[in-house]
Amino acid sequence: PIISPTYSNGTFSNIPLFLGSDFKDYNFFDTGFCIAIGFPNGKARLEVSNYLKKEGLYPVDVVSSHADYIKEPNAGEGLQILSGSHVAVRCKIGHQVTIMAHCNVDHECTLADGVTLAPGVILCGEVSIGECSSIGAGAIVIPRVKIGKNCFVGSGSVVMWDVPDNTRVMGNPAAEYKV
C-alpha cells in the first residue's frame, strides 16, 4: 500500500493516509474511518463505507464542537455535521450523511442514507430527503416537502413542492431542469 506518515497539511502527523484500496498489510485493530467525499457524492460515500466495513473498519461520526446536535438513538453511522449547523429534535438521519457548515435542519426531518447538504441549507420542519440526494448551498426547503432519492437541488433554490426520484430542480420557486 501507499502510506503517507502525515496528512497533506501536517495536521494529523500520527495518522496514516492511504491512497488507493490495497491496505491489507496494515493493522487496523480498533480503527475507525471518516469518508471525506463531498457534494454531491452520497452514493460514493455509501459504497466506500460498505467496502471499509467489510475490511473490518468501523465508521465514526464527526460532529463539530460548534454544531448544535444531540444524537438521536436511530441515527445512522458515519454522520458528519460541520461548524455552525443546527439539527433539531426528532430528526431521522441515515448512514453517511454529510451536513456542511451553517445548515439548519428543523424538527422531525428525515435524511436518508448518503444525503448531502451543502453549506447554508435550510430544511424547515418535517422535510424528507431520499437516499443519495444532494441539496445545493443556500437552498431552502419549506415544511413537509418530500424530495425523492437521487435528486439534486440547485444552490439558492426555494423548494415549495415535492420532488420525484431522480429529478434535478433549481430556482425560486424550484422547477425541474434538464441537463
Side-chain angles (χ1 to χ4, degrees):
I2 301 171
I3 302 174
S4 171
T6 61
Y7 190 70
S8 60
N9 66 6
T11 303
F12 303 107
S13 61
N14 60 338
I15 298 175
L17 174 64
F18 293 90
L19 305 174
S21 61
D22 186 12
F23 44 75
K24 299 276 188 205
D25 298 330
Y26 187 78
N27 179 9
F28 283 115
F29 177 73
D30 200 32
T31 300
F33 66 86
C34 172
I35 301 170
I37 300 173
F39 191 82
N41 296 299
K43 184 176 180 185
R45 280 196 311 276
L46 289 170
E47 290 171 355
V48 171
S49 176
N50 289 335
Y51 174 78
L52 293 174
K53 285 168 45 177
K54 286 179 187 171
E55 294 297 320
L57 284 77
Y58 63 91
V60 296
D61 294 341
V62 177
V63 179
S64 169
S65 60
H66 299 285
D68 181 19
Y69 172 68
I70 298 172
K71 185 166 184 161
E72 296 283 337
N74 59 352
E77 53 195 20
L79 172 65
Q80 296 178 55
I81 303 177
L82 303 185
S83 182
S85 290
H86 169 79
V87 180
V89 297
R90 295 192 305 265
C91 289
K92 296 177 185 170
I93 299 178
H95 303 298
Q96 294 301 327
V97 169
T98 299
I99 300 172
M100 296 183 186
H102 304 286
C103 290
N104 185 55
V105 180
D106 212 343
H107 64 91
E108 300 167 288
C109 287
T110 300
L111 283 63
D113 296 348
V115 165
T116 306
L117 303 182
V121 167
I122 297 173
L123 303 181
C124 297
E126 300 179 34
V127 168
S128 175
I129 301 178
E131 184 174 316
C132 298
S133 288
S134 297
I135 313 299
I140 299 169
V141 183
I142 69 165
R144 292 175 288 289
V145 165
K146 292 176 178 43
I147 296 174
K149 65 181 180 179
N150 302 312
C151 291
F152 181 88
V153 174
S155 295
S157 296
V158 178
V159 183
M160 301 173 64
W161 300 282
D162 291 353
V163 178
D165 292 349
N166 306 304
T167 303
R168 295 173 177 263
V169 298
M170 68 180 292
N172 181 2
E176 184 173 1
Y177 70 94
K178 306 284 185 192
V179 207

